[in-house]
Amino acid sequence: MLGVVVRKKPSLPEGAAEKLAAQGVATVHEAQGRSVGLMKPYMRPIYPGAAIAGPAVTVLAQPGDNWMLHVAVEQCSPGDILVVGCTTENADGMFGELLATSLRARGVRGLIIDAGVRDVAALTEMRFPVWSKAINARGTVKATIGSVNVPIVCAGALVHPGDAIVADDDGVAIVPNAQVSAVIQKADKRIQEEESKRARLAAGELGLDIYQMRPKLEAAGLRYVDSLDGLKD
Amino acid sequence: MLGVVVRKKPSLPEGAAEKLAAQGVATVHEAQGRSVGLMKPYMRPIYPGAAIAGPAVTVLAQPGDNWMLHVAVEQCSPGDILVVGCTTENADGMFGELLATSLRARGVRGLIIDAGVRDVAALTEMRFPVWSKAINARGTVKATIGSVNVPIVCAGALVHPGDAIVADDDGVAIVPNAQVSAVIQKADKRIQEEESKRARLAAGELGLDIYQMRPKLEAAGLRYVDSLDGLKD
Amino acid sequence: MLGVVVRKKPSLPEGAAEKLAAQGVATVHEAQGRSVGLMKPYMRPIYPGAAIAGPAVTVLAQPGDNWMLHVAVEQCSPGDILVVGCTTENADGMFGELLATSLRARGVRGLIIDAGVRDVAALTEMRFPVWSKAINARGTVKATIGSVNVPIVCAGALVHPGDAIVADDDGVAIVPNAQVSAVIQKADKRIQEEESKRARLAAGELGLDIYQMRPKLEAAGLRYVDSLDGLKD
Amino acid sequence: MLGVVVRKKPSLPEGAAEKLAAQGVATVHEAQGRSVGLMKPYMRPIYPGAAIAGPAVTVLAQPGDNWMLHVAVEQCSPGDILVVGCTTENADGMFGELLATSLRARGVRGLIIDAGVRDVAALTEMRFPVWSKAINARGTVKATIGSVNVPIVCAGALVHPGDAIVADDDGVAIVPNAQVSAVIQKADKRIQEEESKRARLAAGELGLDIYQMRPKLEAAGLRYVDSLDGLKD
Amino acid sequence: MLGVVVRKKPSLPEGAAEKLAAQGVATVHEAQGRSVGLMKPYMRPIYPGAAIAGPAVTVLAQPGDNWMLHVAVEQCSPGDILVVGCTTENADGMFGELLATSLRARGVRGLIIDAGVRDVAALTEMRFPVWSKAINARGTVKATIGSVNVPIVCAGALVHPGDAIVADDDGVAIVPNAQVSAVIQKADKRIQEEESKRARLAAGELGLDIYQMRPKLEAAGLRYVDSLDGLKD
Amino acid sequence: MLGVVVRKKPSLPEGAAEKLAAQGVATVHEAQGRSVGLMKPYMRPIYPGAAIAGPAVTVLAQPGDNWMLHVAVEQCSPGDILVVGCTTENADGMFGELLATSLRARGVRGLIIDAGVRDVAALTEMRFPVWSKAINARGTVKATIGSVNVPIVCAGALVHPGDAIVADDDGVAIVPNAQVSAVIQKADKRIQEEESKRARLAAGELGLDIYQMRPKLEAAGLRYVDSLDGLKD
């Protein structure tokens, strides 16, 4: 569906964005059951250390054409994260300092774009975080319309407007809007469980023992030997 | 044409290199009309923050063979940028600290290489900037001749000796020697225009209004709705 | 051979690890004759500046399954480097902060993994160096056994348990256990030779003269001209 | 959501599959508005000439694990097309002659798999069509459960169970179940329009004239010259 | 330079196209000195067995936009080959059966496109040969102008309008217009030399002897041994 | 170790090559335990339908340099398969019709090369089978020595001289020389077991029942539902 701008999107529960940003991508992804909700690892931050979360404003754009990003700015509210997918693979520099200035003026927390970005020195200096497929000075046209706030596939992951986006040095995760509270809870539980494990591992205890893996490994046929010599297969 | 070293190349207008370096890759690329003159985005700096410009000394090398880089050093003058293409795709480490020491002794500003580079920790420490396709310790032979200062295709872009190279965190742009002054002028104009726009965008004005996009978007058929429900297509 | 854990591996000569780490990947690779013993350049450090060496503990893992990493921890001794290959190409995040905590508790110097890694912000903060194919939050299962301390192919290079691993910003080199002392000696010789050359190059002398390349280039047919005009081919 | 098998899926209108197969991927994709509903072009048929359509039975599988394909066979009905996505990128040979024999016994028309396939000589001989990311003899385990008939992202495209899959030498298209009839109608209209155009083009008429492009090109600034000499920019 | 259509291009010598097609890509490439004039190997024919040559009509197109292909048709004469490059990497299906019908009506011999192509079953049936980067049903817009008959970089190679294009199962070669006769002569010479060598090799004589490589190999240090045991390095 | 030609290699048991070729790559790979011994899937045959096996003569070559292939020909005996790896990634056309003529004169069965090949139309016509990484007309030099019949890593797999190579439409497998007889036996057993299963599957029985997967799937937590509605996670 091209050529549609949807003006409304669901919001996140109070405090959810801050909580998810603190929990981080890896933990949130695990809390979701590890099967879906993660963008492909080619999505990388333009500078290290940023960690954000917020509801997605989505854009479906034509390759080499950033017209719809200008349209999308108007649909953004404070705390939002702009998420841009293309109708086809493209690495052109669809986004730069001017659009970042505009997004910042509206309180947008960052950009996720399955394409290229430019002016990265300026973006880094103004600390506007971007996760992208490429850094590319290649400019774009403004000739063909796309859509804003429709469901998109971005970097291999399905994103609906209002889904929670979580992004840090490990990549970009998506939590469906309706599951945000449940995922936060599970992630908290996971963090608590890891805490005690971290202490035991730091003290030299083995994961083999903490997670009681030895019987299962034995059942799976794992053999311990001093040398490969004499092994048949 | 293999096996030729051309000793002469056109020079840049006085002050052009400094000017282009300050304008930056993205702006210079736009000022050139956005169609050609940009290397592919796989060309990345080995450390962030470098921004240089200067006339190209070009090298056409055999894959896995850096013999012609030694030949090229002699053809370099202060302010030059060495640009290396290969006869075929290659990511071997053709360049390292010793060659950088030699280039620096001749006043060369940096290296653009469509292959690999090594000793990156040392190069970073000596602040010798390199844009390359790969970081790779793989060594090379010195067995087959190529050419110096002939036209080459480097990372998808045509480069003639004496063309202006501009390189920063956004990538690498090339300005044909004869167009340098005109491009600088256009880039300056663009920078001035962007200045006022930056201020308006920072104040919350929308690009939709500044660039008067609304009538064109409407003519293109863009629709605004509150929800996708009920839309036919 | 899947499902075998070999408990013993050869050790390195006293002081060899420190020496190799100081010599660095590019020099060690050259000292080995430049033909084999280097991982592919897609193996990149998660943060710049780390430089380590040590004997390899090897792991052969199933894609998307990090069970054998837990098994391998127990086989690690102080100074070791864990090297993980997969039975097939995979970029999942097989390793994170908890496993790093466990390896650090055992004195392991770092990780080389032909797959993905996550929690890179935490790993960077604790300065646990990792060279990997990808940064990826994608979690893994613990369902299928592999092997520990068997010969593996990792990032295109053959690694035996106890081989010396050298890793820095230039990538990852492997020195077969039996050749460690000889390679260290050759690398030392190379470093000494380079020292005098560096000084001469810094003083403006040309590699063409230092390495006496001019007669060979002439014999190979290299021509010097002032322009391409009039050249037939 | 891992670990769920959904037993029911919507069916296609009578005759829709045959109609879509005859219209072909390119036409159906155009009839859908060209924005979404097409898998990435790395999905290739294992032999040329096959052209099928039918409702999707979807599978979400773990990398290197084909357990859920066996589960999915039971959910297939005559005329279905099996569509397999993975939780992460994988090219292992998840499917071969035995599974094809089983699918054929149930009347399944073909397989779409964002992973690898093997036994391609046998599959070609039995004319069981497969579109895959890779041909790969690499075998898989049966250790971790996934899901059947849940929404999946396969080769960059969203697929719901019961969506119409169209696959031929041009690739793989997906039509959402609810839009099948409308898309067929539009595709038919497009085919009719093309027919007359084909005749006129074959007779030497130009697209420039048939589609009345000349005024628009002129408005866009297109210039016709005899030579580039003397052009300023 | 975007937005220019150059109406004139140099022609090839009488009979040159037929001659070059018969000599083939590999031979023509060798006759050119092996350094430049060959497109990257990702350019593949859509069906095996086609072998064509002819003068290039060049197109520079925007990604995802095939408007300029329609413009280019008018500039084509019998025997020409259409060569399409993009301002940036793109794999969309810019070309299909209708455009092929139009090109055939004008006597064009085939298409070389650094992007995607669709309707490949129909193109194969009508025996219209295409060398492309991808097969892709993805449709394109007609929104942004490019240029026709300007110099372009296509698949890593520089192409001027009127250059001779040679394409067969080995890929695509380019011979600069001014060098066509000389290259044909050299290629003929090479073919004659190979003829006698083929007969000697088929009779069991070794290349080592025919090309008198043994002394050079010995001088380069090649050693013959019965086993690696006991070798020091 | 560069610069060594080893004249002797182990031979295969009588009839082993014919047997392995008939069993095929997928079956042999499974019989080896599925963990190692398979080249990466980018190795593709230049024409479909070839299926060969034989002992490996190995070559380690410099990128863009096919000198050692000429050296290797002399070391080949009837029934051998030539296997070429490079010291670094390379796709140049190292091999063509003349070398194939020479290998055929010596009775060599085919070529496996982790690089490019050219003259594919001629090779197809003479039915000389090649599995390669690329088809590429790019020519090579003869300047730097490598080695023949040393252990190499080719397309991610370790190959020793005399190992059995098996190659067909599914790819390329390697069986260590000492394991050939055992692997043949296991592969035969697997083929027999598959025969009965094929018949049962063709008759409509399900793999779920034949392999008794249902209890294990249930134990793993697999749930069957009629719809996703109402599912919590």
Side-chain angles (χ1 to χ4, degrees), chain F residues 39-120:
Chain F
M39 291 194 188
K40 296 204 185 246
Y42 63 72
M43 296 295 285
R44 298 300 305 145
I46 58 168
Y47 58 83
I52 61 171
V57 170
T58 64
V59 178
L60 181 61
Q62 177 77 3
D65 191 317
N66 76 344
W67 210 8
M68 295 314 287
L69 272 75
H70 289 274
V71 174
V73 173
E74 192 178 24
Q75 306 305 319
C76 290
S77 306
D80 283 350
I81 294 178
L82 193 60
V83 183
V84 181
C86 290
T87 56
T88 186
E89 298 216 16
N90 186 250
D92 289 355
M94 287 196 177
F95 182 90
E97 185 213 356
L98 287 187
L99 271 166
T101 301
S102 188
L103 285 181
R104 172 145 290 171
R106 296 188 82 80
V108 172
R109 288 203 171 109
L111 172 76
I112 314 293
I113 183 164
D114 194 3
V117 63
R118 59 188 189 177
D119 301 334
V120 293

Side-chain angles (χ1 to χ4, degrees), chain B residues 37-111:
Chain B
L38 197 67
M39 292 194 185
K40 296 205 186 243
Y42 63 71
M43 296 295 283
R44 297 300 304 144
I46 58 168
Y47 58 84
I52 61 171
V57 170
T58 64
V59 178
L60 182 60
Q62 177 78 2
D65 191 316
N66 76 344
W67 209 8
M68 295 314 286
L69 272 76
H70 289 274
V71 174
V73 172
E74 191 179 25
Q75 305 305 319
C76 290
S77 306
D80 283 351
I81 293 178
L82 193 61
V83 183
V84 182
C86 290
T87 56
T88 185
E89 298 216 16
N90 185 249
D92 289 355
M94 287 197 177
F95 182 90
E97 185 213 356
L98 286 187
L99 272 166
T101 301
S102 188
L103 285 181
R104 171 143 292 172
R106 295 188 83 78
V108 172
R109 288 205 171 108
L111 171 76

Side-chain angles (χ1 to χ4, degrees), chain F:
Chain F
M1 189 144 1
L2 278 175
V4 178
V5 180
V6 182
R7 275 177 300 229
K8 299 196 173 162
K9 67 170 200 297
S11 56
L12 296 185
E14 179 79 23
E18 293 68 22
K19 190 81 189 172
L20 287 165
Q23 292 174 330
V25 170
T27 297
V28 167
H29 158 67
E30 287 283 343
Q32 287 199 91
R34 244 177 346 187
S35 63
V36 294
L38 197 67
M39 291 194 188
K40 296 204 185 246
Y42 63 72
M43 296 295 285
R44 298 300 305 145
I46 58 168
Y47 58 83
I52 61 171
V57 170
T58 64
V59 178
L60 181 61
Q62 177 77 3
D65 191 317
N66 76 344
W67 210 8
M68 295 314 287
L69 272 75
H70 289 274
V71 174
V73 173
E74 192 178 24
Q75 306 305 319
C76 290
S77 306
D80 283 350
I81 294 178
L82 193 60
V83 183
V84 181
C86 290
T87 56
T88 186
E89 298 216 16
N90 186 250
D92 289 355
M94 287 196 177
F95 182 90
E97 185 213 356
L98 287 187
L99 271 166
T101 301
S102 188
L103 285 181
R104 172 145 290 171
R106 296 188 82 80
V108 172
R109 288 203 171 109
L111 172 76
I112 314 293
I113 183 164
D114 194 3
V117 63
R118 59 188 189 177
D119 301 334
V120 293
L123 295 174
T124 301
E125 209 187 332
M126 65 191 277
R127 306 312 280 177
F128 187 87
V130 176
W131 286 255
S132 73
K133 179 181 174 175
I135 293 170
N136 194 349
R138 175 76 58 190
T140 51
V141 299
K142 298 179 209 320
T144 306
I145 57 173
S147 291
V148 173
N149 277 337
V150 299
I152 62 169
V153 172
C154 179
L158 179 64
V159 185
H160 285 85
D163 284 352
I165 301 296
V166 193
D168 61 22
D169 289 347
D170 284 345
V172 184
I174 304 102
V175 186
N177 188 280
Q179 298 171 19
V180 165
S181 298
V183 165
I184 287 175
Q185 248 180 322
K186 284 186 200 164
D188 264 344
K189 203 176 147 208
R190 189 178 160 88
I191 289 169
Q192 283 158 24
E193 287 167 2
E194 283 196 343
E195 206 129 318
S196 70
K197 274 169 200 146
R198 186 179 296 109
R200 291 169 70 182
L201 291 165
E205 228 178 311
L206 289 170
L208 286 179
D209 298 314
I210 296 176
Y211 305 109
Q212 294 169 304
M213 291 173 175
R214 293 189 197 271
K216 279 185 199 161
L217 287 163
E218 198 185 338
L222 192 68
R223 290 170 292 171
Y224 286 79
V225 298
D226 280 349
S227 148
L228 285 177
D229 297 347
L231 278 190
K232 285 259 173 78
D233 58 15

Side-chain angles (χ1 to χ4, degrees), chain D residues 185-222:
Chain D
Q185 248 180 322
K186 284 186 200 166
D188 263 344
K189 202 176 148 210
R190 189 178 160 88
I191 289 170
Q192 282 159 25
E193 286 166 3
E194 284 195 345
E195 207 129 316
S196 70
K197 270 162 204 154
R198 187 179 295 108
R200 292 169 68 183
L201 292 166
E205 227 177 314
L206 288 170
L208 286 178
D209 299 314
I210 296 176
Y211 305 108
Q212 293 169 304
M213 291 173 175
R214 293 190 197 272
K216 280 184 200 161
L217 286 163
E218 199 185 337
L222 192 69

Side-chain angles (χ1 to χ4, degrees), chain B residues 1-9 67-68 70-75 91 97-99 101-102 105-106 117-121 134-143 145-147 149-151, chain C residues 25-26 29-30 34-41 44 169-171 190 194 197-198 201-209 211 213-214 216-217 220-228 231-233:
Chain B
M1 188 147 358
L2 278 176
V4 178
V5 180
V6 182
R7 275 177 299 229
K8 298 195 174 164
K9 66 170 199 300
W67 209 8
M68 295 314 286
H70 289 274
V71 174
V73 172
E74 191 179 25
Q75 305 305 319
E97 185 213 356
L98 286 187
L99 272 166
T101 301
S102 188
R106 295 188 83 78
V117 63
R118 59 187 187 176
D119 302 334
V120 292
I135 294 171
N136 194 349
R138 174 75 58 192
T140 51
V141 299
K142 300 180 208 319
I145 57 172
S147 291
N149 277 337
V150 299
Chain C
V25 169
H29 159 67
E30 286 283 342
R34 244 178 349 191
S35 63
V36 292
L38 197 67
M39 292 193 187
K40 296 207 185 242
R44 298 299 305 144
D169 288 347
D170 284 346
R190 190 179 160 85
E194 283 195 345
K197 268 158 205 155
R198 186 177 297 110
L201 291 165
E205 229 178 310
L206 289 170
L208 286 178
D209 298 314
Y211 305 108
M213 293 172 173
R214 293 188 196 272
K216 280 184 198 159
L217 286 164
L222 191 68
R223 292 169 292 171
Y224 285 79
V225 299
D226 280 349
S227 147
L228 287 176
L231 279 190
K232 285 261 174 74
D233 59 15

Side-chain angles (χ1 to χ4, degrees), chain C residues 109-151:
Chain C
R109 288 205 171 108
L111 171 77
I112 314 294
I113 183 163
D114 195 1
V117 62
R118 58 186 187 177
D119 302 333
V120 292
L123 295 173
T124 302
E125 209 188 329
M126 64 190 277
R127 305 314 278 177
F128 188 87
V130 176
W131 286 254
S132 72
K133 180 182 175 175
I135 293 171
N136 193 348
R138 174 76 57 194
T140 51
V141 299
K142 300 181 207 319
T144 305
I145 57 172
S147 291
V148 174
N149 278 336
V150 300

